[in-house]
Amino acid sequence: MYDPEGNLDKSQLVETYAPLVKRLAYHLMAKLPASVHIDDVIQNGMIGLLDAINRYEDGLGAQFETYAVQRVRGAMLDGLRDNDWLPRSIRRDMRRIEGAIHSLEQHHGRQPTEVELAESLEMPLAEYQRMLQDARGYQLVHFEDFAGDEGEDYFERHLGEHASNPLDLLEASDMRSALVQAIEDLPEREKLMMALYYDEELNLREIGEVFGVSESRVCQLHSQAVARLRARILGAGEAGGARRGRPRKTPPAAA
C-alpha cells in the first residue's frame, strides 16, 4: 500500500477498498427509505474513502481499514443529513405505531402481532405493512442526535477521550441493559432478523434468502422491530400524542 518513497499509494488504496465502500452502502440501505438511491450512498462513501486516505497518518493507534470505515460511514450519513430523507409524515406514522405497540403491550402483557397492530390503527393489514415498508430508515436513534450545535462530528469530538463521567457511564449501562432486554423480548423471527443484520452483517436480500421471503418483507420486519424497541426504550408518550417528560400539571378543581 506504499509507493517507493514510503507514502501511501492512494490509487492502490482506492482500488482495494472500493468493494468495502459498496458493502457498507448496501448494509446501510436497510436503514434508509426507498427514495434513497444506492449510487448516491456509494458516491458519498467514496468521498469518505478519499478523505480517509488524505487524513490518515501512521501512529494514530488505528489500522487504516478501521479508520476508513468510520470516515466512509460518516460521509454517507453526512450526505443523508443534507437532505430531508425521511419525511415528517413517515415519522408521524411511526410514532402512531409506537403508541399502538406500547398500548397493546401494556394491555396484553406481551408483544402485539401485526394483525393486532393493524386493527388497533384501524387499517387493513396490507396498509399497515406498506406503512412499515415506507418507513425504512426510521431508526432506534438518529445520527443527528450525536451532532453538536455547530455540526461537529461526535466521533471526532470524543476521539482519544479516556475519562468519562461516572453518571454518564451508569446511564449508558442502564440503557444497554434495557435495550438488551427489549431485544430479548422481540418475537423470535424479528430477533433473529436483527441478529443476522447487526451481528452477522447480512443485507436485506441475504436475510430474505435465509427466511425464504422477499427483501421488502425483511424491510417490514426491520421497521417493526425498531418500532417495538423505540416503544420500549424511549416510551410512547410522544408516539401517543402526549409530550415526553414531566406530566402536565392538573389545574385545581373549581370550588
Side-chain angles (χ1 to χ4, degrees), residues 56-68 70 159:
Y56 181 75
E57 296 179 7
D58 288 333
L60 285 178
Q63 294 182 349
F64 175 77
E65 182 171 336
T66 302
Y67 178 76
Q70 290 185 351
L159 182 64

Side-chain angles (χ1 to χ4, degrees), residues 195-241:
L196 291 174
Y197 182 74
Y198 290 100
D199 293 338
E200 303 299 327
E201 296 189 345
L202 300 185
N203 58 39
L204 297 184
R205 179 185 57 78
E206 293 168 334
I207 296 174
E209 292 175 356
V210 173
F211 283 0
V213 299
S214 66
E215 181 176 334
S216 62
R217 178 55 181 157
V218 178
C219 178
Q220 294 169 5
L221 292 174
H222 182 272
S223 294
Q224 185 166 259
V226 169
R228 294 187 196 275
L229 296 177
R230 285 182 60 92
R232 177 72 66 85
I233 300 300
L234 304 180
E238 186 175 318

